[in-house]
Amino acid sequence: MDQKQNIEQFKGQPRLPKFAIPKRYDLYLKLDLSACTFSGLVHINLSIVETTKFIVLNACELVVHQVFFTTSLNHRITPCDVVLNGNDEILMLGFEQVLGTGEGVLSIEFSGALNEQLKGLYKCTYVDKGVRKNMAVTQFEALQARLCFPCWDEPALKATFKITLDLPSELIALSNMPINDEKINGNVKTVYFEESPKMSTYLVAIAVGLFDHIEETTADGIKVGVYCPVGKSDEGKFALEVAVKSLDIFTRYFSMPYPLPKLDMVAVPEFFGGGMENYGLIIYRENEMLYTDSRSTAARKQRLTIVVAHEVAHQWFGNLVTMEWWTHLWLNEGFATWISYMATDIMFPEWKIWTQFLQEINGGLRLDAQEKSHPIEMEIQHGHEVDEAFDAIGYKKGSAVIRMLQEYIGDETFQKSLSFYIRRYAWSNARTEDLWSVLSEVTGIQVNSMMDSWTKQKGYPVISVKPKDHILEFEQSQFLLSGFHGDGQWIVPITLCFGSYDRIKSFLLESKSENLDASELFPTSDEKNEDEYGEASWIKVNIGQSGFYRVKYGDELDARLRKAIKKGFLSVTDKYGILDDRYALCVACEQSLSSLLLLMDVYRKESDYIILSKVIDVCYNVLEVLRDAIPELTNALKENFINILLCSAKKLGWESTPGESHLTGLMRGEVFMALAAFDHAKTHEQAMHRFQSFLDDRSTEFLSPDTKRAAYIAVMRNANTSRDGFESLLKVYRDADAVQEKEHVLRTMASTPSPDILVEVLNFFISKEVRDQDIVYGLPGISLEGHEIAWWWMKENWNFIINKYNGGLLTHFIRDIISPFCSNEKADEVEEFFESRVTSSFAMNLKQSIEQVRIKARLVESIKQERQPLQDLLKQLVCKG
């Protein structure tokens, strides 16, 4: 077998061979921002752990100019074969002589182009004194360091990095570590960075551009810097404050100091995600890091806090201790999501963020009730499969089961366990079972036997509860929205209370069904009279919604819970959970839409943000399905939903009052947006009036950041009768220099019922006027009336879309345009269109979206059977006003 045939053995392999292990990278990059190219030289210190004639590493879209290997005896060996394989993204080097075990240095000279795909080392643009200029930024997670330099691009192959950059002398260069030295030679500046500790390649980062800079030093002496677009450093102050506080919180929580000498955060104009946790240099899209009271909503302030805390948390969970392979990605994302809420709650307890965590986990509950879901530990064979693992299962379900485990073990023991885990695996890699092992060690509980049922299989249970005298019968079955019966079984931490939060019971449901003697929970004969006993006999399972499961009650228990809600006996989180479970059971056709609407009516006078937000969410979803099922009832349903929200709208008003709470601002935005979307005439009238005041004076206080989107929706809902509002809103976008304002406009433009204007809007979204990354703001706002035309538009423009947008952004087109449909005919049509067009980057997302359509198609048929009762009920509810 000749050398060429030997090289063939490395093609098509999911992982790199392990006979050479990188220890240190000395990386030099020269950037040409005018030509949008770069060249580089990397010296990689290797340990050859098995004798070999080959070295195989990752490289993609690079030109390799020269390669040589220097042995520990300083012998320089040039490979006889240098083969770049584009499909496998590997660089294969074949040598005439065997490389013996021991140390050596692999040197590679290479070059490449700054791409525009928001991955690897890419180009983005900014405006400086009216002139558009280029800057360079990196995004290496998951598999994109190889687009910048040849490397062992797998998370377990950690090494140290010494980076040197050549760049235009007027620009600022940032990387993971502080600058060690700078030299200027004419128009070129050479920046030498300190050598980093051990880290994975996906965490290496570079940002080169013009920035304004502010910084603080923590009590532990860590310099925290925030780099903003020129002239916007004030907008970085809040993010800086959150980062400094987060560092302190996590240092204390993990009993482990932040391990680098500095932490920089930079806002860049073009970025695929919200933020990326690169070690010592967190990169954000501008919307996620910049904040100003006069332009930003309460929702944006809250999201910024959570996002910054999330990325800072990764410096420990992800960077210091890194998952061994992408199968364990949830160890990064689930934990960072959970602990970002913990940090936010410490910083802003008045936000009641743990109640809002219920919204976070709801996305996990929704996706995991589909047959096309996947386990938290999603088996990743080939690295490219990981793109679709960055979803609601890893982030939302992952964080939810961590919260459930924390509640079961107890806060103090859980914290002690995590601190022990971080110390044990610092600078190294870990698998899910390593975490369970530490938790079992500290607690004495066999954590893995319980948690494997949650991380290694997809789905979750619905717990059915039936009372029989003083016995409660519990039964678990896999909850699927499709109505099919899965065979999953879980070890479920059950909590319940009987008539009062003073009467609480908890146990582990380890089998399919179990009976619980609840005698001790029932009031004694001395405590009750018949009337009191009747009211106190409600039972709520899953107290505080801390468990990742649904609960189904019989009719009798249901009626008692409804009464308990009316009388104010239940906590906010439990009221939320009852409505959320009922809606899910309705979608699964296990309970009627009529019973859901009756329950919603009980929430008519609710004034808590999290419950109102859930009510609004259910309103949108029910309206979407009823339009297909019984179109003639659409207006009555809208009127009913408007009546539910008007009480809150009157209390809130359009304008904020001095000293009002953060949650009031959140609520005002959501309530008025819903009323505008439901075409409430008085809301439209008021919104159009305030919008005109805003056009006359952009600094008016008559239209606050929290109510702008409601006004813009009203403008677009009326755009079918007049184009003036649409043209005015387009001008607002074009005139805006603030990313916050552009986001407000993009999120609302597609809410028009006019087919012609919607096509204009969609064409605008994919034009050069809108940055590729910002498509994620526009597509979710497509009106109920517009989904058919949006589907037609996507088919007409598919070739353009697939060439313009990378895999991650493509999933937004799939999800936001396809999943709102509600018929099997449409699902068939979608399958037929994509039969020859689907790619691995969105295949799973497409299957999930089509499944959602079929789930709703089944619900539509179920609702049709309720036509007369629904008609009577809506008439009765609307009459209540």
Side-chain angles (χ1 to χ4, degrees), residues 128-140:
D128 176 33
K129 296 172 186 171
V131 179
R132 187 168 289 278
K133 295 182 177 178
N134 294 335
M135 62 185 292
V137 184
T138 55
Q139 170 56 37
F140 288 168

Side-chain angles (χ1 to χ4, degrees), residues 349-406:
E350 69 276 14
W351 291 2
K352 300 177 182 174
I353 203 69
W354 280 121
T355 64
Q356 295 183 62
F357 184 67
L358 299 180
Q359 292 173 309
E360 181 75 28
I361 68 174
N362 193 259
L365 285 164
R366 194 164 52 242
L367 177 54
D368 210 28
Q370 292 187 213
E371 292 177 72
K372 301 299 182 187
S373 182
H374 61 83
I376 285 177
E377 289 183 67
M378 180 179 173
E379 196 58 47
I380 304 292
Q381 295 295 335
H382 194 286
H384 282 291
E385 298 168 10
V386 76
D387 283 348
E388 290 201 301
F390 288 88
D391 66 1
I393 300 300
Y395 284 75
K396 298 174 189 286
K397 182 182 180 181
S399 60
V401 298
I402 290 160
R403 173 83 163 146
M404 180 170 68
L405 182 60
Q406 178 198 23

Side-chain angles (χ1 to χ4, degrees), residues 124-128 135 137 170-174 207-216 224-241 243 263-270 281-292 295 304 308 737 739-740:
C124 57
T125 59
Y126 64 101
V127 176
D128 176 33
M135 62 185 292
V137 184
E170 73 276 10
L171 299 183
I172 291 170
L174 303 170
V208 173
L210 269 187
F211 307 103
D212 274 353
H213 166 234
I214 53 175
E215 71 175 38
E216 275 189 32
V224 184
V226 166
Y227 290 80
C228 306
V230 174
K232 296 189 176 181
S233 58
D234 279 355
E235 296 184 32
K237 285 180 178 176
F238 182 66
L240 178 60
E241 177 190 328
L263 175 62
D264 288 331
M265 306 200 303
V266 58
V268 300
E270 294 171 65
L281 178 59
I282 301 172
I283 300 177
Y284 301 88
R285 67 166 64 192
E286 289 177 352
N287 306 53
E288 303 290 3
M289 199 190 86
L290 303 181
Y291 173 81
T292 170
R295 294 192 185 118
L304 186 154
V308 170
D737 72 329
V739 289
Q740 298 94 333

Side-chain angles (χ1 to χ4, degrees), residues 830-858:
V830 170
E831 282 181 339
E832 185 181 344
F833 177 79
F834 280 107
E835 189 175 6
S836 59
R837 295 174 174 88
V838 68
T839 70
S840 60
S841 64
F842 64 87
M844 186 169 73
N845 200 275
L846 177 64
K847 286 176 183 174
Q848 289 168 348
S849 296
I850 291 169
E851 185 184 353
Q852 283 179 44
V853 176
R854 296 198 186 281
I855 286 166
K856 284 186 283 186
R858 181 169 171 264

Side-chain angles (χ1 to χ4, degrees), residues 780-799:
I782 295 171
S783 64
L784 290 179
E785 300 90 346
H787 287 302
E788 189 66 54
I789 200 74
W791 168 233
W792 168 84
W793 170 86
M794 186 170 83
K795 289 187 291 183
E796 290 292 304
N797 291 278
W798 182 249
N799 289 338

Side-chain angles (χ1 to χ4, degrees), residues 115-244:
N115 69 75
E116 297 182 37
Q117 300 298 310
L118 310 182
K119 62 184 182 180
L121 178 58
Y122 68 91
K123 175 199 89 168
C124 57
T125 59
Y126 64 101
V127 176
D128 176 33
K129 296 172 186 171
V131 179
R132 187 168 289 278
K133 295 182 177 178
N134 294 335
M135 62 185 292
V137 184
T138 55
Q139 170 56 37
F140 288 168
E141 189 177 33
L143 310 174
Q144 282 114 32
R146 63 191 68 175
L147 275 74
C148 180
F149 61 99
C151 58
W152 275 256
D153 203 8
E154 295 183 4
L157 299 173
K158 289 188 170 185
T160 63
F161 291 82
K162 188 174 186 303
I163 295 174
T164 305
L165 298 179
D166 273 0
L167 58 140
S169 57
E170 73 276 10
L171 299 183
I172 291 170
L174 303 170
S175 189
N176 306 85
M177 298 298 289
I179 293 172
N180 190 36
D181 194 14
E182 284 188 2
K183 293 178 182 173
I184 294 180
N185 183 7
N187 295 327
V188 176
K189 175 165 61 177
T190 303
V191 180
Y192 304 85
F193 294 94
E194 292 177 18
E195 187 162 340
S196 77
K198 282 172 65 177
M199 62 180 177
S200 304
T201 48
Y202 79 89
L203 296 169
V204 176
I206 293 161
V208 173
L210 269 187
F211 307 103
D212 274 353
H213 166 234
I214 53 175
E215 71 175 38
E216 275 189 32
T217 302
T218 69
D220 294 333
I222 307 298
K223 281 190 176 178
V224 184
V226 166
Y227 290 80
C228 306
V230 174
K232 296 189 176 181
S233 58
D234 279 355
E235 296 184 32
K237 285 180 178 176
F238 182 66
L240 178 60
E241 177 190 328
V242 171
V244 169

Side-chain angles (χ1 to χ4, degrees), residues 15 339 517 555 716:
R15 306 277 286 267
I339 208 164
D517 184 349
D555 290 344
M716 293 308 299

